Amino acid sequence: VLGCFVTICLDNNGSDIGGICFNTMGQDIESLGVSKGDLIISKKAEISEYVTDSLIAVSNSNLNGCDIQSIQRVSTFSTNDAEITTVAMQNGIGYENTVMASSCYGIVTSYIPALGSLLNFAMDNAILVCVLFILLSAFWCLLLVLIEKQSKTPKTNKTKK
């Protein structure tokens, strides 16, 4: 059930459920221990919540999914938006980048290894996943019927005379 809710907003350009964004990691970042395909969970934040050295999730135009970057500086232009200077960690090399707070997915709160790839596979192969779910459900129903039938068979005790 959780997977169904997550897939609605997975990699949907900042769409969120209750202020929480779900994105697939677009590349490996060894220094953070995050791999391509991990599910990145980020929380939408107010401009005042973006502080130096916190990690944010941003759109990755080169790859599918998102990228994680570290905040270096926040320049507030208005009450609604700010320019955030970040360091993007790509292939072990950090390079400076500038993103607007309004286009940011939010502050990274956690990640779940490999779940993003699994959910993307399920979305891309929905018919296969539905067929497998039906077959698995039928198997478990059959197994429960057999167990119930086995427990109802009377056991005879033969006594020696």
Side-chain angles (χ1 to χ4, degrees):
V1 173
L2 176 65
C4 290
F5 285 112
V6 169
T7 56
I8 292 170
C9 293
L10 186 66
D11 293 332
N12 246 352
N13 296 329
S15 295
D16 62 282
I17 299 174
I20 307 282
C21 288
F22 301 97
N23 293 288
T24 304
M25 187 64 194
Q27 65 181 347
D28 294 338
I29 301 178
E30 293 175 10
S31 60
L32 298 176
V34 180
S35 302
K36 181 177 180 176
D38 290 353
L39 179 67
I40 304 299
I41 302 170
S42 57
K43 180 180 179 266
K44 292 278 190 175
E46 297 293 325
I47 293 173
S48 61
E49 296 178 69
Y50 291 110
V51 294
T52 304
D53 294 330
S54 60
L55 299 174
I56 59 172
V58 296
S59 175
N60 189 338
S61 58
N62 298 334
L63 304 168
N64 291 335
C66 73
D67 191 15
I68 296 177
Q69 299 181 4
S70 176
I71 295 176
Q72 296 300 307
R73 179 173 62 254
V74 179
S75 304
T76 305
F77 288 121
S78 67
T79 56
N80 298 334
D81 211 358
E83 184 178 79
I84 302 173
T85 305
T86 64
V87 170
M89 296 155 276
Q90 197 172 38
N91 300 328
I93 301 168
Y95 63 92
E96 199 168 280
N97 190 20
T98 302
V99 295
M100 297 304 288
S102 58
S103 66
C104 174
Y105 296 148
I107 298 172
V108 176
T109 57
S110 60
Y111 74 97
I112 302 173
L115 186 60
S117 294
L118 181 65
L119 291 174
N120 275 323
F121 174 80
M123 288 187 317
D124 292 341
N125 301 295
I127 294 172
L128 174 66
V129 172
C130 289
V131 168
L132 289 175
F133 178 76
I134 291 168
L135 289 174
L136 187 63
S137 299
F139 170 75
W140 283 110
C141 288
L142 178 65
L143 187 64
L144 288 173
V145 168
L146 290 175
I147 290 172
E148 185 68 25
K149 186 176 180 180
Q150 183 70 22
S151 66
K152 286 187 176 183
T153 57
K155 295 182 180 179
T156 58
N157 289 338
K158 295 183 179 180
T159 57
K160 294 183 180 180
K161 292 184 181 182

